[in-house]
Amino acid sequence: MSNKILVTYATCTGSTVGVAEAIGKTLSEGGLTVDILPMKEVKDLSAYRAVVAGSAIQNKQWLPEAVDFVRANRAELSRKPFAAFLVCMTLAMKNGETYRPFVVDFIAPVRALVKPVSEGQFAGVLNISKVPTLKDRLMFRLSVLFGVWKEGDHRNWKAIRSWAESLAPRLLNH
């Protein structure tokens, strides 16, 4: 079996792409061969030694396409090292770190299908113009107005790279 790693993702407004790319780049810099692909483009997992999958969070859960990906590939993912991450604006709230124990549960449906060797939770980007529904755009605008969130990029690149660095031995020695 090759040592190639797949980093795959589902995104809503694009910030999860950047997290997946940073994870893939970090793994590559550590000497691994990595493919970074959106979940909807992944057709076959047999070429990969391990899989890192991540999703944006919407309504306190992974995006439906991400859960569907794990469900459809459950058997294969159960036979190889699998790590999961989420990108969630809850972690960008004022005092967002206090919500981390709550946010960890957003991966529970995935964890019930396939047990990850590691899980990462990261804040995302709030660009209200990219929020897909008018209702959600209004909710975010009001939340920004009341100081719950600030628009901008809240991704902690150091934490993302640190998590990715910790993955290599878990993905190769599992």
Side-chain angles (χ1 to χ4, degrees), residues 45 69-80 113-114:
L45 298 178
F69 172 85
V70 173
R71 189 175 290 115
N73 293 287
R74 181 180 185 183
E76 183 126 17
L77 291 171
S78 295
R79 290 191 296 270
K80 54 184 75 192
L113 294 167
V114 181

Side-chain angles (χ1 to χ4, degrees), residues 94-153:
K94 190 184 289 186
N95 302 318
E97 283 302 311
T98 61
Y99 295 101
R100 190 169 292 278
F102 176 66
V103 169
V104 166
D105 287 339
F106 297 171
I107 284 184
V110 173
R111 197 182 301 123
L113 294 167
V114 181
K115 177 137 178 52
V117 296
S118 183
E119 296 178 16
Q121 301 90 29
F122 309 107
V125 176
L126 179 54
N127 179 342
I128 294 174
S129 67
K130 288 187 172 184
V131 174
T133 67
L134 177 61
K135 176 184 164 212
D136 288 343
R137 282 193 300 276
L138 290 173
M139 186 268 308
F140 276 114
R141 284 194 199 288
L142 287 172
S143 296
V144 167
L145 184 67
F146 289 112
V148 176
W149 275 293
K150 290 182 182 175
E151 277 201 84
D153 190 341

Side-chain angles (χ1 to χ4, degrees), residues 39-55:
M39 287 177 182
K40 60 186 170 202
E41 291 182 17
V42 177
K43 304 297 181 222
D44 182 13
L45 298 178
S46 63
Y48 300 102
R49 167 79 174 92
V51 176
V52 179
S55 176

